[in-house]
Amino acid sequence: MNPHKRYTITAALPYTNGPIHIGHLAGVYVPADIYARYKRLTGNDVAFICGSDEHGVPITIKAKKEGVTPQDIVDKYHAIIKKSFEDFGITFDNYSRTSAKIHHETASEFFTTLYNKNEFIEETTEQLYDEEAKQFLADRFVVGTCPKCGNEESYGDQCEACGTSHNATDLINPKSAITGNVPTLKETKHWFLPLNKHEDFLKEWILKGHKKDWKPNVYGQVKSWIDDGLRPRAVTRDLDWGIPVPVEGAEGKVLYVWFDAPIGYISATKEWAEREGKDWEPYWKNEDTKLVHFIGKDNIVFHCIIFPAMLKAEGSYILPDNVPANEFLNLEGNKLSTSKNWAVWLPEYLEDFPNQQDVLRYALTANAPETKDNDFTWKDFQARNNNELVAIFGNFINRVVVLTNKYYDGIVPEPAELSEVDKETLATLKAYPNVISSSIERYRFREASQELMNLARLGNKYLADEEPWKVIKEDEARTKTIMYVALQIASALATLSEPFLPFTSNKLKGILSLSNSEKENLWNDIATNDVLVPAGHQIGKAELLFSKIEDETIQKQLDKLEASKKANEIANATVEPQKDTITFEDFTKLDLRVGTILEAEKMPKAKKLLVLKVDTGLDVRTIVSGIAESFTAEEVVGKKVTVLVNLAPRALRGVESQGMILMTETPDGKLVFVNPDDAIASNGLQIS
């Protein structure tokens, strides 16, 4: 018997300084939506909650760069993100935002409750301060060297290279992200949550209580933090963007974003309950509620240590039953990056693949980074669509619907006596809801998606083995039975696919005319009902559920990424600093001449060297040049070049080189000739 009367399901609040990409979908929102949809289909009371995380330093930095207010930034991206979720069928019961009045009130009340219970430590500490900007430097306003891994571009709160969380004052060689100046230390007062006070509780609750049911990656990270010893963590910051700290003496300070953001789950639930005429408290305070947080691995510490410590300190809230965090999704072998535009943005995906949300949902689920970082490739996306969705799922449904319309004008036929194969097939069908449920309940969504596809495989195999297109010629009664059984499988797929392929499920229910409530099956009906779609029921005409994706379409996506990579290389190209100043007399010592390469051959046993014969106008001389990795010998013959002719000769692998060819290097490491383009620049002309 299910001990839970209701489910509160949260998905990590996306940060509103940019749109959503496939990494966000794969890591958090698709698995959360699969779980929420499944729970509703199995008859549960669900509150699926999310919202935009709209405070914190990165938003203020972006606002300053763009010359707008932080509110302008969050308004823009809140709308974009909200629409992306709607477009991809993420069925939040409420999608709120932390700039909402109800959130400010809820977060302030939460802080005040803990403050009045003396759950905070008040301390005056030294914080980094930018004298020129005249402000304290919170987290992302500081960049420096990570004390753990040596990454020279670590932020003040977390190193994105090694994932370590730290304080800004821990950084080596810190610099202000505002002015680039070296900050000073200045005293300021803040309030801290003493995590060390809750260490014993966390050990008992997580390390003992959830050793067997939490994912190893989550449990391992939490254990590492606790074993390292927990320390007090500031809950306030010196900033002018955020929720004002609601106590005297806290002017100019706001609640630290990590403290206010998770409270956003609570305020969003309140907002939803108020709108729906419900009581919000049972969803957060009753022991018969199951609370599940869906997050990415970079949020594990906040949801498994800090937020539970806050809830425990407040005293009236339940704790999460599970936090099934995913690892990261990479893209074509490289880490997803907003700043480098190395991503597949959801709005752009829909422009390129209109009405194909389910293809992306399926590809991301089938390759979900559940236990380790996984790689999204466009070729795998294409294969998942063509070889599975089209060739297996779509093919089965199309055959069933086409044949039913061809033989019986779309009316489900009355079956004759079932054969052993029919009985076995229907018994296997009845087992699938529990098989898929088992995977979902253990947060194995990748496994669950493959079980769904196995049900479609069952249908294809049944049709292939029973061959109704042949049997119809000699046994009409048997054909009716075959088509009846196949239609039961198709009906089950319409329901069981909904968590994974909601748009397809909807379309399939329409094709099978199952879309009104009395005909629509719920999840558990498939396991218990002998008849899912009755004889005499009229279905509709066939429509393709999926279409093949061609190589040219995929190549366009790869070309788009390649363009991003090249743009990044150019944008991030470092210009070598100027060398020491020389006099005009020093320059006049260089004798630069126009020349033409007459012959070229590869230097034996040398990877980089070409041996060139060059007409300098003065003579024909041998020059050894390290350009073989960028040019073949054939490519350079006839090339006009710039030659330093008065360079002292130098022996290279036994060949005397009598000069130097001038070259430069592109950001991607390719060598380029610095040469005179004008055809009238004849050999021997001096360059001055």
Side-chain angles (χ1 to χ4, degrees):
M1 184 177 169
N2 186 356
H4 302 112
K5 286 188 178 178
R6 66 196 69 77
Y7 288 79
T8 302
I9 302 166
T10 73
L13 307 186
Y15 203 56
T16 45
N17 66 339
I20 295 288
H21 57 57
I22 57 168
H24 301 122
L25 268 194
V28 178
Y29 305 107
V30 166
D33 187 61
I34 291 171
Y35 189 73
R37 284 176 178 271
Y38 157 74
K39 281 299 177 186
R40 293 190 195 104
L41 280 169
T42 50
N44 292 285
D45 179 2
V46 170
F48 184 22
I49 301 299
C50 193
S52 294
D53 180 0
E54 299 183 328
H55 298 134
V57 175
I59 286 165
T60 63
I61 291 176
K62 195 173 187 77
K64 282 186 179 181
K65 281 182 181 175
E66 295 187 13
V68 297
T69 67
Q71 191 66 52
D72 291 331
I73 295 293
V74 299
D75 286 348
K76 173 185 174 181
Y77 288 112
H78 171 74
I80 291 171
I81 292 169
K82 189 169 188 276
K83 186 175 187 307
S84 289
F85 286 142
E86 290 166 356
D87 287 343
F88 278 84
I90 309 297
T91 53
F92 296 125
D93 289 295
N94 194 36
Y95 187 78
S96 189
R97 54 194 307 192
T98 60
S99 63
K101 183 184 177 188
I102 194 168
H103 176 68
H104 277 239
E105 291 170 351
T106 303
S108 295
E109 286 169 10
F110 200 103
F111 180 92
T112 302
T113 299
L114 266 58
Y115 179 82
N116 291 337
K117 291 178 71 174
N118 295 316
E119 291 289 344
F120 295 130
I121 298 168
E122 186 179 314
E123 281 188 13
T124 298
T125 60
E126 288 188 323
Q127 299 286 322
L128 296 175
Y129 185 83
D130 188 322
E131 298 285 354
E132 184 181 337
K134 294 185 170 52
Q135 72 176 75
F136 284 98
L137 299 175
D139 316 326
R140 299 284 163 131
F141 277 130
V142 188
V143 179
T145 301
C146 172
K148 185 169 183 180
C149 74
N151 169 32
E152 294 180 356
E153 295 181 357
S154 177
Y155 292 117
D157 61 340
Q158 188 176 41
C159 175
E160 293 195 345
C162 68
T164 302
S165 293
H166 45 232
N167 293 316
T169 49
D170 296 332
L171 290 176
I172 301 164
N173 301 322
K175 287 186 179 177
S176 167
I178 303 170
T179 64
N181 294 338
V182 176
T184 59
L185 285 170
K186 189 173 179 179
E187 285 191 345
T188 183
K189 180 170 69 176
H190 282 294
W191 287 264
F192 292 76
L193 180 66
L195 293 176
N196 48 309
K197 175 182 173 180
H198 303 284
E199 201 167 298
D200 290 341
F201 144 69
L202 291 167
K203 282 180 181 176
E204 185 68 29
W205 174 57
I206 300 175
L207 300 190
K208 290 185 180 178
H210 287 294
K211 188 171 186 177
K212 294 181 179 176
D213 64 328
W214 280 20
K215 291 170 73 171
N217 61 319
V218 178
Y219 184 87
Q221 193 178 133
V222 172
K223 187 176 186 303
S224 175
W225 263 71
I226 293 174
D227 288 349
D228 197 36
L230 300 178
R231 290 170 286 280
R233 195 170 178 101
V235 298
T236 58
R237 273 291 182 261
D238 292 290
L239 273 177
D240 56 2
W241 175 247
I243 300 171
V245 177
V247 295
E248 282 188 32
E251 293 74 22
K253 300 180 192 297
V254 298
L255 299 181
Y256 199 170
V257 67
W258 69 255
F259 182 87
D260 98 73
I263 297 170
Y265 300 137
I266 301 169
S267 61
T269 308
K270 282 185 180 181
E271 187 178 67
W272 164 74
E274 194 175 291
R275 187 177 68 233
E276 300 295 322
K278 292 175 175 277
D279 180 4
W280 73 271
E281 291 202 355
Y283 293 87
W284 280 94
K285 298 189 175 184
N286 282 21
E287 290 297 331
D288 55 8
T289 296
K290 183 172 181 175
L291 173 62
V292 182
H293 295 310
F294 283 88
I295 58 168
K297 69 176 176 182
D298 51 339
N299 270 321
I300 288 173
V301 169
F302 298 106
H303 287 76
C304 299
I305 292 179
I306 297 172
F307 191 39
M310 290 163 56
L311 296 174
K312 183 73 173 174
E314 198 280 345
S316 66
Y317 287 84
I318 58 171
L319 299 172
D321 183 88
N322 212 313
V323 185
N326 273 351
E327 299 292 292
F328 289 152
L329 186 75
N330 296 322
L331 172 60
E332 297 288 350
N334 292 309
K335 186 178 177 181
L336 281 156
S337 171
T338 299
S339 61
K340 294 178 180 176
N341 195 28
W342 190 257
V344 178
W345 305 104
L346 300 196
E348 287 184 16
Y349 172 87
L350 282 182
E351 287 177 16
D352 296 340
F353 297 91
N355 303 313
Q356 290 181 282
Q357 296 95 320
D358 279 350
V359 181
L360 186 60
R361 282 181 64 123
Y362 178 75
L364 294 176
T365 304
N367 191 36
E370 291 177 349
T371 54
K372 61 181 178 62
D373 289 359
N374 265 6
D375 195 32
F376 176 91
T377 69
W378 280 111
K379 288 292 185 185
D380 179 70
F381 167 84
Q382 181 186 26
R384 294 285 184 188
N385 178 77
N386 294 355
N387 303 339
E388 295 174 30
L389 294 176
V390 173
I392 299 171
F393 194 117
N395 179 56
F396 169 67
I397 296 298
N398 192 57
R399 287 204 288 180
V400 172
V401 176
V402 166
L403 291 176
T404 303
N405 276 283
K406 181 179 179 181
Y407 299 155
Y408 314 114
D409 294 324
I411 296 171
V412 178
E414 188 76 46
E417 187 177 346
L418 299 178
S419 70
E420 283 305 309
V421 170
D422 301 334
K423 290 174 184 176
E424 285 174 17
T425 301
L426 290 172
T428 304
L429 166 61
K430 281 189 172 188
Y432 266 96
N434 289 334
V435 169
I436 297 172
S437 288
S438 174
S439 297
I440 293 176
E441 293 286 5
R442 290 175 293 138
Y443 310 103
R444 296 182 178 180
F445 304 105
R446 187 170 61 200
E447 181 181 276
S449 71
Q450 295 315 292
E451 292 296 353
L452 174 72
M453 198 55 65
N454 285 339
L455 176 56
R457 286 188 176 96
L458 173 75
N460 269 322
K461 185 177 187 306
Y462 176 75
L463 281 182
D465 290 348
E466 298 308 305
E467 299 181 310
W469 45 87
K470 289 184 180 178
V471 176
I472 187 79
K473 297 170 185 174
E474 55 198 41
D475 191 341
E476 287 194 18
R478 177 63 192 148
T479 307
K480 287 179 180 179
T481 307
I482 295 169
M483 293 311 303
Y484 173 83
V485 172
L487 282 158
Q488 305 309 305
I489 298 172
S491 177
L493 281 169
T495 297
L496 298 179
S497 65
E498 184 186 321
F500 310 93
L501 307 166
F503 298 93
T504 305
S505 169
N506 233 18
K507 192 172 182 179
L508 181 50
K509 286 173 186 175
I511 293 169
L512 298 176
S513 301
L514 299 173
S515 47
N516 56 41
S517 56
E518 71 270 11
K519 289 179 182 173
E520 187 174 334
N521 296 296
L522 289 174
W523 194 276
N524 299 326
D525 295 339
I526 297 162
T528 56
N529 292 359
D530 290 330
V531 178
L532 300 178
V533 56
H537 174 74
Q538 177 77 54
I539 70 169
K541 299 295 183 185
E543 294 178 59
L544 286 180
L545 295 179
F546 306 99
S547 55
K548 191 177 179 187
I549 295 173
E550 302 296 341
D551 291 345
E552 308 86 76
T553 303
I554 294 303
Q555 191 57 49
K556 283 180 185 176
Q557 298 302 318
L558 294 170
D559 291 345
K560 190 187 290 188
L561 286 174
E562 190 59 33
S564 283
K565 185 184 284 186
K566 286 184 176 172
N568 284 324
E569 287 168 351
I570 292 167
N572 297 320
T574 54
V575 177
E576 290 294 319
Q578 179 180 301
K579 294 181 179 179
D580 292 342
T581 302
I582 63 171
T583 65
F584 180 73
E585 287 71 25
D586 290 330
F587 173 73
T588 59
K589 292 177 183 177
L590 298 176
D591 192 349
L592 298 169
R593 305 271 179 151
V594 176
T596 301
I597 299 174
L598 302 177
E599 299 174 22
E601 63 179 0
K602 195 96 165 49
M603 170 83 79
K605 298 181 182 179
K607 188 178 176 184
K608 296 182 178 181
L609 301 179
L610 288 182
V611 181
L612 311 174
K613 292 286 186 190
V614 182
D615 181 352
T616 67
L618 303 172
D619 52 26
V620 174
R621 63 179 66 186
T622 299
I623 296 176
V624 179
S625 185
I627 61 174
E629 289 184 316
S630 295
F631 302 95
T632 64
E634 293 75 21
E635 279 181 287
V636 300
V637 173
K639 195 93 175 165
K640 272 194 183 295
V641 292
T642 300
V643 189
L644 178 60
V645 294
N646 64 334
L647 183 67
R650 183 183 173 200
L652 292 169
R653 291 185 176 259
V655 178
E656 186 175 75
S657 181
Q658 301 167 311
M660 179 182 287
I661 308 289
L662 265 61
M663 311 291 296
T664 188
E665 190 175 38
T666 64
D668 59 355
K670 181 173 172 55
L671 292 174
V672 178
F673 286 100
V674 179
N675 62 332
D677 285 332
D678 201 320
I680 63 170
S682 58
N683 294 342
L685 283 180
Q686 278 193 304
I687 297 170
S688 58

